[in-house]
Amino acid sequence: QDLHEANQLNLFYTVFDLCCILLPCRCTAAIGSALLDDSPHMLFLHQCAVLDMELISQLKVTIFHHLFIHISGRNNPTVLEVLLLIMIKKCSLSPTELDAVGGVGFFTNLLAHLNPNIAYHSSRFLINMLEKEKPEEFNEVMTRLFYKAQQTNDAKLLSN
């Protein structure tokens, strides 16, 4: 099992390193402050690197999905976060890619993920999809949410 996961991680690092473009002007400040891990995926999470989307677009979303499912989140939470962000980008651009990972249900299931960043990114993706594909329904939900926040005087409800 450990060898299998090590191989999965090696695949992730290889693909990510090939597709990652560092942004030197942003990196200096981030590395100089609180960023201790200067691996490409951490630089990406801290917006010091971007992905070459032309290269990423050549890869099937199922590769990233497979890695997401098989890499331990307990030991590699940032790797899972990067994989999810890549899947979200690919699924945002193509309904076929969304179907390949299990559709909206896949992201809905991630709302209960133990990693709060995974749950957050999944919720943002689902909210953006609802806003884009069903704007009337989205506006109704937001109106109810604003009303409930006003009634309960809960500013956190709006910020979340």
Side-chain angles (χ1 to χ4, degrees):
Q1 181 69 18
D2 290 336
L3 180 60
H4 180 68
E5 184 164 348
N7 288 335
Q8 301 293 321
L9 280 169
N10 284 336
L11 177 59
F12 166 77
Y13 290 128
T14 301
V15 169
F16 196 82
D17 289 352
L18 289 171
C19 298
C20 188
I21 302 168
L22 297 179
L23 301 171
C25 56
R26 288 186 175 171
C27 292
T28 308
I31 291 172
S33 62
L35 185 61
L36 301 175
D37 182 352
D38 65 349
S39 62
H41 76 279
M42 286 301 292
L43 292 172
F44 172 75
L45 287 176
H46 286 89
Q47 299 175 349
C48 293
V50 294
L51 295 176
D52 182 336
M53 289 311 293
E54 192 172 323
L55 288 175
I56 293 289
S57 69
Q58 299 302 312
L59 300 169
K60 298 282 185 198
V61 74
T62 52
I63 294 169
F64 303 107
H65 182 256
H66 174 85
L67 293 172
F68 184 86
I69 299 299
H70 289 92
I71 291 176
S72 166
R74 187 175 334 132
N75 300 329
N76 305 288
T78 57
V79 170
L80 288 188
E81 187 176 356
V82 168
L83 288 166
L84 179 64
L85 290 170
I86 293 170
M87 287 188 295
I88 286 172
K89 182 68 172 171
K90 290 183 72 62
C91 291
S92 297
L93 299 173
S94 167
T96 305
E97 299 279 34
L98 179 60
D99 290 341
V101 298
V104 171
F106 171 72
F107 293 98
T108 302
N109 289 336
L110 294 178
L111 295 175
H113 200 278
L114 295 176
N115 180 334
N117 292 335
I118 299 294
Y120 170 78
H121 292 303
S122 298
S123 69
R124 291 296 320 154
F125 174 69
L126 292 169
I127 288 169
N128 291 342
M129 278 191 59
L130 181 62
E131 184 178 21
K132 186 172 110 181
E133 293 180 10
K134 299 179 181 177
E136 301 85 23
E137 197 174 316
F138 174 79
N139 288 333
E140 289 174 19
V141 168
M142 292 308 291
T143 300
R144 286 194 306 266
L145 182 65
F146 288 135
Y147 179 76
K148 182 173 179 137
Q150 281 180 327
Q151 296 302 315
T152 60
N153 199 24
D154 187 355
K156 266 190 172 178
L157 187 60
L158 295 177
S159 67
N160 289 337

